[in-house]
Amino acid sequence: MSKDSAVDMKDVELNELDLEKQPMTGGEVATGGTEKNGFVKVEEADVKFTGLSKEELMKVAGTPGWVRTRWILLVLFWLGWLGMLAGAIVIIVQAPRCKPIPKMDWWNEGPIYQIWDVDAFSGADGLKGLEDKLDSLGQLKVKGLVLGPLHTVQSDQPETVDFKSLAPEIGTKEQFESFVGKAHKKGMSVVLDMTPNYRGSQPWFNEVNDVTLTAEKLKDAIPYWFQIGVDGIQVAGLDQVSSEAPAAWTSLREVIQANRTEGEKNKALIGLTSKTSGIDVAGILEDSGVDLILSGVLKSGESGSARAQDIQQLYIAQNQTSLAWSLGGRNDGHLATLVGAKLVRLYQLLLFTLPGTPVFSYGDEIGLMEQGGTPFPKMLWDSSEPEEEKNETLKSEREQRLSFRSFFKTLSDLRGKERSLLHGDFLSLHNDTTSLAFLRQWDQSGRYIAAVNWGDVATTLRLVHPDLPAEATVELSTDPIKLVPESSANLGELVLEGQQAVLLQFPFTD
């Protein structure tokens, strides 16, 4: 072999060796492709999965293994569903049942507000001025307004009574209709005080025959006012008319019953009596058949023990939807006049938490008091953001009025939304000559304890009962420094300072 041939063979072997050492890139295989520099390049074919055909799928689905699997899954599904259904039934059966809500009318849903003198309340504008104050009353969650008496009559002269007329200084029939319509839009019902001889010595005049004739007159006037839109009638001297003219009184009640339509707001018959005994008031309520009765049970001269006994007697004898609580009135004066400014909040708390309807006179929410012997003091209206007052005395008085009103509003809001306060059961926990404590509870709602001490010195209440926990939370206090809201209070040793009241709350536990 020649030298040149030997060199060529060596080059070929080296080239082959170098090519073998080169890595194979994607798309390059030894055979079946396009040649490039002595190599075959293969184009990779796209492979797509098209799934099983219908025939293939049916063939597979019909195999014993798949059939068995489907049956197992179906059985598990229904077993699981039946298990959840059974669990839900067990939970429903074992869960405590809610107590049915008692039947309530509009006069049970919030405070009733009495306005004896329209001009004293709203200024010299009569019914028009009264209409302008509805927004303020709506903020207090007032549910009913008792106006008047507004009819015309001369003192102790039964022949002069005219139940269908309005005193000229009050306004016209058209103004009254406008006021009633606006009040209804604000969610407030309107009641007329139709006490016949409200300027005289006896509410229904002095003679038995006059009582009977006057009751008949009132019976004829009631449909007239109901047609205008009035939602109820209030009369004082309930014990007098129901006992001296029972037939006429029964006839009057039947007129009111006849104006009640199923599904519509009921018309109210509210009666006032000066009786202070719980037994006497319960008897009058039973005999008279009124929807709501106001009495003198809470007169400030009574001791705590006597009040507790009378409250308990009324609660046991009558449904609380027929009970109303107030202190003061057209003939007695305002709350602050009777109890003093220091006890205004205490009595506001008491009236809002007793089992029944709280009834207030105009101005009781701000501690309005009679001054200079004026029987119907002018209502004082304060802005929530008053201008800067330089007179420190006037500034302090205004701040006190706003504070009273804020306390009143908080209580009214609370009573309107808490079932235990709205229609809950009543349980007396403590009473002595100067203090009182009771529990309000309803089904599974939060519980409330009201405790008041109208005495001048501190007292310690030991509230121990199977229904009570060891501690409760302060919801509202007349002295937020000593009993701070949201703080815990020891029920076994609850200290109340003189002229102090507190509302405590604790949750329902099964």
Side-chain angles (χ1 to χ4, degrees):
M1 181 182 295
S2 65
K3 186 178 179 180
D4 292 334
S5 297
V7 172
D8 291 339
M9 289 297 294
K10 188 174 181 179
D11 291 338
V12 171
E13 290 175 358
L14 290 173
N15 288 336
E16 289 177 350
L17 180 61
D18 291 339
L19 287 172
E20 288 175 357
K21 292 181 179 179
Q22 292 180 7
M24 184 180 293
T25 61
E28 295 178 351
V29 294
T31 59
T34 303
E35 293 185 6
K36 184 177 181 181
N37 295 330
F39 291 91
V40 178
K41 184 176 181 181
V42 178
E43 298 291 340
E44 185 177 8
D46 292 337
V47 179
K48 294 182 180 180
F49 178 72
T50 59
L52 298 177
S53 65
K54 180 178 180 182
E55 291 76 12
E56 291 172 328
L57 184 61
M58 293 300 295
K59 183 178 179 180
V60 173
T63 59
W66 279 109
V67 171
R68 188 165 50 253
T69 301
R70 288 200 302 274
W71 274 108
I72 292 173
L73 292 175
L74 181 62
V75 170
L76 290 175
F77 168 78
W78 283 110
L79 287 176
W81 187 87
L82 290 173
M84 289 189 293
L85 178 62
I89 293 174
V90 169
I91 292 173
I92 293 172
V93 171
Q94 292 184 346
R97 295 188 178 183
C98 293
K99 211 172 169 183
I101 301 297
K103 181 183 180 300
M104 299 179 66
D105 285 292
W106 61 261
W107 54 85
N108 305 127
E109 296 174 353
I112 290 179
Y113 194 90
Q114 299 185 104
I115 302 174
W116 326 318
D117 188 295
V118 173
D119 284 343
F121 176 77
S122 59
D125 294 331
L127 290 169
K128 180 63 175 65
L130 184 59
E131 189 176 305
D132 294 338
K133 304 301 182 183
L134 287 175
D135 283 339
S136 178
L137 296 177
Q139 294 171 5
L140 301 177
K141 301 296 189 294
V142 169
K143 294 299 181 183
L145 298 173
V146 179
L147 302 184
L150 306 179
H151 59 272
T152 59
V153 65
Q154 295 179 27
S155 175
D156 295 323
Q157 298 184 37
E159 68 278 2
T160 65
V161 65
D162 184 358
F163 289 114
K164 294 182 181 180
S165 66
L166 288 173
E169 64 272 16
I170 299 300
T172 64
K173 175 186 174 183
E174 290 73 23
Q175 289 176 325
F176 184 80
E177 288 177 325
S178 174
F179 167 76
V180 171
K182 293 289 180 61
H184 287 169
K185 290 180 180 179
K186 300 290 184 181
M188 286 174 269
S189 300
V190 178
V191 175
L192 277 182
D193 189 328
M194 304 294 283
T195 302
N197 191 30
Y198 61 93
R199 291 192 175 101
S201 56
Q202 291 290 331
W204 290 81
F205 302 103
N206 298 314
E207 302 295 330
V208 174
N209 187 53
D210 292 336
V211 175
T212 302
L213 293 175
T214 302
E216 290 293 336
K217 277 187 177 182
L218 178 56
K219 182 186 74 173
D220 294 336
I222 287 175
Y224 169 81
W225 290 109
F226 282 175
Q227 187 176 8
I228 290 177
V230 168
D231 302 293
I233 300 297
Q234 174 175 294
V235 292
L238 180 60
D239 42 333
Q240 181 189 9
V241 64
S242 61
S243 62
E244 294 182 8
W249 176 254
T250 300
S251 179
L252 187 150
R253 281 171 45 204
E254 290 173 350
V255 170
I256 294 179
Q257 292 289 343
N259 282 273
R260 291 180 173 175
T261 305
E262 187 69 26
E264 295 184 2
K265 183 168 66 173
N266 281 338
K267 306 297 185 182
L269 177 56
I270 304 174
L272 279 68
T273 176
S274 58
K275 299 293 184 181
T276 59
S277 163
I279 295 177
D280 291 343
V281 174
I284 294 172
L285 177 56
E286 185 71 29
D287 294 338
S288 66
V290 294
D291 298 303
L292 205 62
I293 190 167
L294 277 164
S295 67
V297 166
L298 295 182
K299 273 193 172 180
S300 59
E302 299 291 340
S303 68
S305 299
R307 287 177 176 176
Q309 183 179 0
D310 289 326
I311 292 168
Q312 188 71 34
Q313 288 171 340
L314 276 173
Y315 177 75
I316 293 173
Q318 298 291 338
N319 193 312
Q320 66 173 290
T321 55
S322 298
L323 303 179
W325 308 99
S326 70
L327 202 63
R330 189 177 188 278
N331 295 324
D332 299 325
H334 286 82
L335 173 64
T337 302
L338 297 175
V339 304
K342 290 183 178 180
L343 290 175
V344 167
R345 291 188 190 88
L346 182 149
Y347 279 96
Q348 286 179 349
L349 189 149
L350 180 63
L351 293 173
F352 269 112
T353 54
L354 284 171
T357 300
V359 179
F360 296 91
S361 300
Y362 77 92
D364 282 351
E365 75 275 21
I366 62 169
L368 186 67
M369 301 179 68
E370 288 83 0
Q371 295 179 354
T374 304
F376 306 135
K378 297 289 184 181
M379 180 66 176
L380 300 174
W381 299 96
D382 295 297
S383 170
S384 58
E385 297 180 357
E387 296 180 1
E388 185 64 28
E389 178 63 63
K390 295 181 179 180
N391 187 307
E392 290 298 324
T393 300
L394 295 178
K395 180 179 179 181
S396 176
E397 290 175 352
R398 183 183 62 241
E399 290 175 350
Q400 184 181 57
R401 291 194 295 269
L402 293 175
S403 175
F404 285 153
R405 189 178 191 277
S406 176
F407 195 81
F408 183 102
K409 183 178 182 301
T410 300
L411 282 166
S412 188
D413 289 341
L414 198 61
R415 185 187 182 277
K417 68 181 181 181
E418 293 295 336
R419 291 182 175 178
S420 290
L421 295 176
L422 191 60
H423 48 67
D425 299 326
F426 170 86
L427 176 64
S428 179
L429 298 174
H430 166 89
N431 68 82
D432 58 28
T433 56
T434 61
S435 59
L436 178 68
F438 52 87
L439 172 68
R440 299 296 307 280
Q441 58 184 345
W442 178 260
D443 198 24
Q444 301 174 48
S445 301
R447 277 71 166 118
Y448 286 87
I449 298 172
V452 299
N453 174 25
W454 51 80
D456 294 326
V457 298
T459 186
T460 300
L461 311 184
R462 291 174 174 82
L463 308 181
V464 180
H465 190 274
D467 292 342
L468 300 182
E471 294 184 338
T473 302
V474 176
E475 182 74 29
L476 195 63
S477 170
T478 59
D479 187 353
I481 297 177
K482 294 290 181 61
L483 288 170
V484 182
E486 300 185 6
S487 65
S488 294
N490 182 1
L491 297 183
E493 195 171 349
L494 179 64
V495 178
L496 287 181
E497 299 296 329
Q499 301 181 337
Q500 185 181 36
V502 64
L503 184 63
L504 306 169
Q505 189 270 345
F506 62 95
F508 163 77
T509 55
D510 190 359

